[in-house]
Amino acid sequence: MQSTCKNKAYLALMQTSKEIQECIRAELAKTDLHVTEFSVLEVLYFHGKQTIHEVAQRILVSSGSMTYVIDKLERKNMLKRVPCPDDRRVIHLVLTPDGEAFMQSIMPRHQERVEQLFGSLSEEESGTFVQLLGKIKHQLHVQV
Amino acid sequence: MQSTCKNKAYLALMQTSKEIQECIRAELAKTDLHVTEFSVLEVLYFHGKQTIHEVAQRILVSSGSMTYVIDKLERKNMLKRVPCPDDRRVIHLVLTPDGEAFMQSIMPRHQERVEQLFGSLSEEESGTFVQLLGKIKHQLHVQV
DNA sequence: ATCAAATATCTCAAATTAAAGACAAATGAA
DNA sequence: TTCATTTGTCTTTAATTTGAGATATTTGAT
């Protein structure tokens, strides 16, 4: 059948991403953070202050999970909830100095690992890769 | 920084795969199967009889989860545990006729969705995509 | 033949996640 | 203005997943 090719791409994509997730989990095991907690901090580290909703959209977890994860991160003194004065439904998340320092201490190693993973791709290939993912992602939002 | 490019690829990969997973979950919501259960059946459907261990490796879930998921699938009469006579530690999983029929009824729609997702990639691009994923996956197993 | 190590599965407790609904606040149409 | 709808967050409950350890079997070295 001709579908085999697309299906192969699909399976490869899903399995590789899961293995990477697994690899990150192993890396984080040395800290007392879990993948989802790390993902939240990562978003704040790269994008600065964000609403809970924005972070949830980026890392794709439910609002219930967000509350749970934020509670934990707040207890660990990694971030702070900051109510938004303009819209009282909204709460912003901000890294604390501790959170900032923590991220600065572990990101270099994380970045190194990411670069190692994608290091065998040329600049051009990385570009192509992102572009192809973009095409796939675009299809996700097309009605079937 | 120059790392941005690799990091972009990394983020795109992780987010796209998560969105696809989400999309599959939504699709499966119409049945009474969850993603992990479906993944197990998918492996058996494509590869035939497999040991629990083999399936776990393919779909990357812990042994504890495997037991849980298999119990559920067995209760739903989708598959059967078959002890291996050659190695008494080993248990094979086999689709029941019901499981086979069920998969045959939902796979066309699933395949269609996969093909739609990857449909905007040419044959050549699909090939490239798989190849690039292969390179990344290979790096995963390289010591750092 | 014996025994340590490796392998395959299972059990159980604890952590995590999702799902549904509640609530408060903002928006926008009438 | 008013009210229905939407949005953002939280609560609660139930389902799922992990992680560590238990058990049984096999493998391989001595």
Side-chain angles (χ1 to χ4, degrees):
Chain A
M1 52 172 139
Q2 101 199 75
S3 81
T4 309
C5 181
K6 310 291 184 194
N7 205 51
K8 199 167 161 185
Y10 157 71
L11 292 173
L13 170 58
M14 300 312 278
Q15 210 189 13
T16 304
S17 61
K18 200 148 185 187
E19 284 195 44
I20 292 177
Q21 168 113 349
E22 194 45 46
C23 159
I24 292 171
R25 176 200 307 285
E27 199 57 51
L28 286 175
K30 298 164 192 167
T31 72
D32 79 330
L33 289 189
H34 291 259
V35 177
T36 310
E37 295 170 273
F38 174 71
S39 302
V40 171
L41 297 181
E42 201 180 15
V43 169
L44 299 180
Y45 188 71
F46 282 126
H47 299 96
K49 185 172 75 169
Q50 300 274 304
T51 71
I52 292 178
H53 189 72
E54 282 166 342
V55 175
Q57 293 230 298
R58 278 191 204 275
I59 67 175
L60 301 172
V61 306
S62 67
S63 71
S65 299
M66 280 305 290
T67 302
Y68 174 78
V69 173
I70 293 167
D71 285 349
K72 282 204 320 180
L73 286 170
E74 217 169 24
R75 252 182 275 124
K76 290 176 186 172
N77 194 32
M78 290 286 159
L79 53 71
K80 234 178 27 179
R81 281 182 168 94
V82 180
C84 172
D86 299 335
D87 185 336
R88 295 193 310 181
R89 292 168 306 178
V90 172
I91 294 181
H92 284 284
L93 300 179
V94 198
L95 287 181
T96 60
D98 274 11
E100 191 78 34
F102 174 79
M103 287 305 277
Q104 263 170 29
S105 76
I106 68 163
M107 282 311 282
R109 177 148 177 69
H110 175 72
Q111 287 297 330
E112 212 177 289
R113 185 64 168 133
V114 168
E115 287 187 39
Q116 188 255 332
L117 282 182
F118 291 80
S120 59
L121 274 57
S122 68
E123 284 302 300
E124 196 196 336
E125 285 176 321
S126 296
T128 304
F129 188 64
V130 171
Q131 186 215 332
L132 295 178
L133 282 169
K135 284 194 186 186
I136 296 163
K137 194 161 168 175
H138 179 257
Q139 288 301 111
L140 271 164
H141 304 120
V142 170
Q143 282 311 322
V144 205
Chain B
M1 51 171 139
Q2 104 200 66
S3 80
T4 308
C5 181
K6 309 290 184 195
N7 205 52
K8 200 168 160 186
Y10 158 72
L11 292 172
L13 170 58
M14 299 312 279
Q15 210 189 15
T16 305
S17 62
K18 201 149 183 184
E19 283 195 44
I20 292 177
Q21 169 114 349
E22 193 46 46
C23 158
I24 292 171
R25 175 200 308 287
E27 198 58 50
L28 286 175
K30 298 165 192 164
T31 73
D32 79 332
L33 290 189
H34 291 259
V35 177
T36 310
E37 296 170 276
F38 173 70
S39 301
V40 171
L41 296 182
E42 202 180 13
V43 169
L44 299 180
Y45 188 69
F46 282 126
H47 299 97
K49 183 172 74 168
Q50 300 273 304
T51 71
I52 292 178
H53 189 71
E54 282 165 343
V55 175
Q57 292 230 298
R58 278 190 204 273
I59 68 175
L60 299 173
V61 306
S62 67
S63 69
S65 298
M66 281 305 291
T67 303
Y68 176 77
V69 173
I70 292 167
D71 285 350
K72 283 204 321 179
L73 286 170
E74 217 170 23
R75 251 182 278 125
K76 290 175 185 173
N77 194 31
M78 289 288 159
L79 52 72
K80 236 181 20 182
R81 282 181 167 95
V82 180
C84 172
D86 298 335
D87 183 338
R88 296 193 312 181
R89 292 169 306 180
V90 173
I91 294 180
H92 285 282
L93 300 177
V94 197
L95 288 181
T96 60
D98 274 12
E100 190 78 34
F102 175 79
M103 287 305 277
Q104 263 170 30
S105 76
I106 68 164
M107 282 311 282
R109 177 148 177 70
H110 176 72
Q111 287 296 330
E112 212 177 288
R113 185 64 169 134
V114 168
E115 287 187 39
Q116 188 256 331
L117 283 182
F118 291 80
S120 59
L121 274 57
S122 67
E123 285 302 301
E124 194 195 339
E125 285 175 321
S126 296
T128 305
F129 188 63
V130 171
Q131 186 215 333
L132 295 178
L133 283 170
K135 284 194 185 186
I136 296 163
K137 194 159 167 177
H138 179 258
Q139 288 301 110
L140 272 165
H141 304 118
V142 171
Q143 281 312 321
V144 204

